[in-house]
Amino acid sequence: MEGRTIENDPILSLLYKSIKKLDFFIRNITNYYKNSKIEKRIDEINFSSIVNETIYALPFVEETPVKEVDFDIQVDQKEPFFNDEFRVRVILNNILSNAIKYQRQDNVEKKVSVLIQTREDGAMIKIKDNGIGIPQDLVDKIFDMFFRGTSVSNGSGIGLYIVKEAVNKIAGDIKVISQEGEGTEFIISIPNIKVPQPENEISMLKTH
């Protein structure tokens, strides 16, 4: 006799989905608290690693398994990049989660593209999906706390608010381009914060 699994038991499946939603909500609340309380820090950032780790950590979001999504990831990073790694991770995690969560279920080719280009003074991050999109009259409201523009998902409405707050904390900028039924693109720019050399290293350079 076959045992009960998430795949063959609707009650276990529903319970699993509820647990995942609760876990995601708790993580968002935790990130919101950290973002509002923790001082900005400067880390060296490897965008390729962060994007891959973020996608790997999202095995199931709402009704769309990650394995059903075709990811196109392009990272052009030739120089060291410095900013707040925690907040960069929060930004990418929430936007990529939404890109998966709000896919059209009837679309056999679910796609998410990630393009990151760094330069000496900053980075440009573009995340685009071919999901359900956002009605034009709601685009300006999506960063409001607890705003939910669709009944497709039972999300908390706090994820994009946290994204906006995190972007502001690291002196970045974010904008969204969306068309209902066609998909959504987020464009984020963040500065490359130069890390000053310690005084002892500067002294050593002067003596050689």
Side-chain angles (χ1 to χ4, degrees):
M1 181 178 177
E2 186 178 0
R4 295 173 64 188
T5 67
I6 293 172
E7 288 74 22
N8 65 25
D9 190 311
I11 295 178
L12 285 180
S13 178
L14 182 61
L15 180 62
Y16 176 75
K17 290 179 182 179
S18 298
I19 291 172
K20 293 297 291 184
K21 288 175 183 177
L22 180 60
D23 176 68
F24 195 69
F25 176 73
I26 291 172
R27 283 189 283 123
N28 264 340
I29 293 297
T30 302
N31 287 338
Y32 168 70
Y33 177 81
K34 287 182 177 178
N35 184 59
S36 63
K37 299 297 182 183
I38 295 178
E39 292 296 322
K40 182 178 176 180
R41 53 179 287 176
I42 305 301
D43 312 286
E44 185 168 0
I45 292 175
N46 183 315
F47 282 104
S48 291
S49 295
I50 292 177
V51 171
N52 288 321
E53 288 166 10
T54 299
I55 294 172
Y56 180 79
L58 295 171
F60 192 94
V61 180
E62 296 296 325
E63 284 74 33
T64 304
V66 171
K67 65 182 180 180
E68 292 183 5
V69 180
D70 179 22
F71 287 93
D72 177 20
I73 301 171
Q74 299 181 52
V75 178
D76 179 14
Q77 180 176 3
K78 297 182 176 66
E79 61 280 302
F81 192 90
F82 297 90
N83 208 306
D84 189 321
E85 182 176 332
F86 163 70
R87 290 181 169 93
V88 169
R89 285 182 180 273
V90 166
I91 292 165
L92 292 174
N93 179 76
N94 277 283
I95 294 180
L96 285 169
S97 296
N98 279 1
I100 300 167
K101 185 187 302 181
Y102 296 113
Q103 285 288 331
R104 302 199 318 269
Q105 295 306 307
D106 62 341
N107 189 356
V108 294
E109 294 186 351
K110 301 176 176 67
K111 296 181 179 180
V112 175
S113 66
V114 181
L115 173 63
I116 301 178
Q117 297 173 305
T118 69
R119 52 189 183 277
E120 187 177 354
D121 61 338
M124 181 70 70
I125 303 169
K126 297 182 179 181
I127 301 176
K128 185 176 183 179
D129 65 66
N130 63 340
I132 64 174
I134 306 165
Q136 287 303 304
D137 60 330
L138 300 181
V139 170
D140 292 337
K141 301 178 181 179
I142 64 171
F143 295 113
D144 294 348
M145 181 179 275
F146 301 127
F147 178 79
R148 293 177 59 238
T150 177
S151 59
V152 170
S153 170
N154 296 318
S156 63
I158 196 174
L160 289 180
Y161 174 80
I162 296 172
V163 167
K164 180 66 172 177
E165 292 293 298
V167 169
N168 289 341
K169 287 277 188 178
I170 60 176
D173 181 70
I174 183 169
K175 59 183 177 181
V176 58
I177 301 170
S178 188
Q179 184 174 347
E180 189 172 12
E182 298 295 329
T184 302
E185 180 177 21
F186 287 90
I187 303 172
I188 307 135
S189 59
I190 59 176
N192 188 2
I193 300 175
K194 304 296 188 299
V195 179
Q197 290 180 307
E199 298 242 350
N200 59 343
E201 289 189 15
I202 295 175
S203 298
M204 289 177 62
L205 288 172
K206 288 181 177 179
T207 58
H208 288 78

